[in-house]
Amino acid sequence: MLQTPPAPRLFALAPSQCEVCRQWAGQPLCGSCTSRFAATVPRCGRCGLRIGLAGAACGGCLREQPPFEHTACATDYGFPWDSLIADFKFNGREDLAGPLARLLSAAVAGAGHPAPDLVLPVPLSPPRLAQRGYNQAWELARRAARLQGRPARHDILLRPGDTAHQAELSRAERQRNLAAAFMVDPRQRPALRGRRVALVDDVMTTGATAREATQTLLRAGAAAVDLWMLARTPD
Ligand SMILES: [Zn+2]
Ligand SMILES: [Zn+2]
């Protein structure tokens, strides 16, 4: 009986269009769009907010130090990244994970912060994960971690319950909602203890989610937490 031959890997050979300018660039994000729309700009080293002067901290971080120590951030959340990130998260475009993770990894390399012992994604709750099929933060985290030569884990920081859609809530409601959102798997505490963690997410807006997740990790024994954020909502 004849065996079915393996399907040819056509997609690996096919030329690909840039997702932004639609040029046949051979890569999903072409070099000119990357340098035009993800240019390195001065950011607060602590929270990743775009600021006027490199090396300075933003007003918010000077008033109240966040629990995380550094933030590496690839771009502002705006054109064209907002629609690419929405496609990546909600429209099943998992194929964007690679190019977006490379963008994040380049920002991490450029930021020059201390290298983490562990790279963890901001987790999704089980119902949200079931609905979406994948955690976009994990897809970014594991790829960026591999590019940086650091280990990534998705089984340490957990999000047991579901929280209401953050965008529909006031700032105070968001804080209350998040207070019990995260936990560290008790069996994984030894793996976390004394470690420097990089926490990865696709978009950082108010930073409330990152603060809660950071505090959960620190309470469970992490030595320090830094953030790797693909995009940051400008002030
Ligand atoms: Zn392009
Ligand atoms: Zn800041």
Side-chain angles (χ1 to χ4, degrees):
M1 201 170 84
L2 282 172
Q3 295 260 313
T4 314
R9 298 187 57 203
L10 281 177
F11 72 93
L13 304 170
S16 76
Q17 261 178 308
C18 171
E19 293 287 335
V20 181
C21 67
R22 312 311 299 179
Q23 301 270 0
W24 292 95
Q27 48 191 346
L29 291 173
C30 81
S32 69
C33 286
T34 304
S35 50
R36 182 165 169 211
F37 297 112
T40 306
V41 296
R43 293 186 181 279
C44 170
R46 190 97 193 203
C47 77
L49 195 68
R50 184 199 277 247
I51 50 173
L53 271 177
C58 76
C61 288
L62 288 175
R63 275 193 302 278
E64 190 189 348
Q65 284 200 349
F68 39 82
E69 286 188 10
H70 306 96
T71 298
C73 173
T75 85
D76 277 345
Y77 187 62
F79 179 83
W81 311 111
D82 46 359
S83 60
L84 287 183
I85 291 170
D87 280 349
F88 170 46
K89 271 166 93 157
F90 304 116
N91 300 330
R93 292 289 311 276
E94 266 184 277
D95 59 304
L96 290 171
L100 293 175
R102 280 195 287 281
L103 206 64
L104 175 60
S105 176
V108 167
H113 300 145
D117 303 306
L118 277 176
V119 179
L120 312 180
V122 170
L124 290 181
S125 64
R128 193 67 59 82
L129 184 60
Q131 179 189 34
R132 195 170 294 170
Y134 55 94
N135 176 1
Q136 75 282 355
W138 171 238
E139 297 306 316
L140 292 173
R142 65 192 180 90
R143 288 173 172 83
R146 195 189 320 127
L147 291 167
Q148 293 296 313
R150 317 310 300 176
R153 297 274 301 265
H154 62 78
D155 56 346
I156 293 179
L157 182 64
L158 308 175
R159 194 170 200 164
D162 203 6
T163 50
H165 271 285
Q166 293 298 304
E168 294 156 14
L169 303 176
S170 74
R171 196 186 168 92
E173 284 171 325
R174 271 204 291 268
Q175 296 286 1
R176 269 200 300 281
N177 234 310
L178 282 164
F182 298 104
M183 66 170 286
V184 167
D185 185 329
R187 293 164 301 181
Q188 304 299 342
R189 276 182 179 238
L192 184 66
R193 198 161 298 136
R195 304 293 156 85
R196 177 168 212 108
V197 172
L199 185 65
V200 180
D201 210 352
D202 54 334
V203 182
M204 176 165 166
T205 304
T206 63
T209 303
R211 269 195 292 277
E212 287 302 331
T214 297
Q215 276 155 354
T216 302
L217 291 167
L218 293 173
R219 277 197 299 269
V225 177
D226 298 321
L227 306 181
W228 293 0
M229 295 286 154
L230 178 59
R232 178 82 161 90
T233 303
D235 219 355

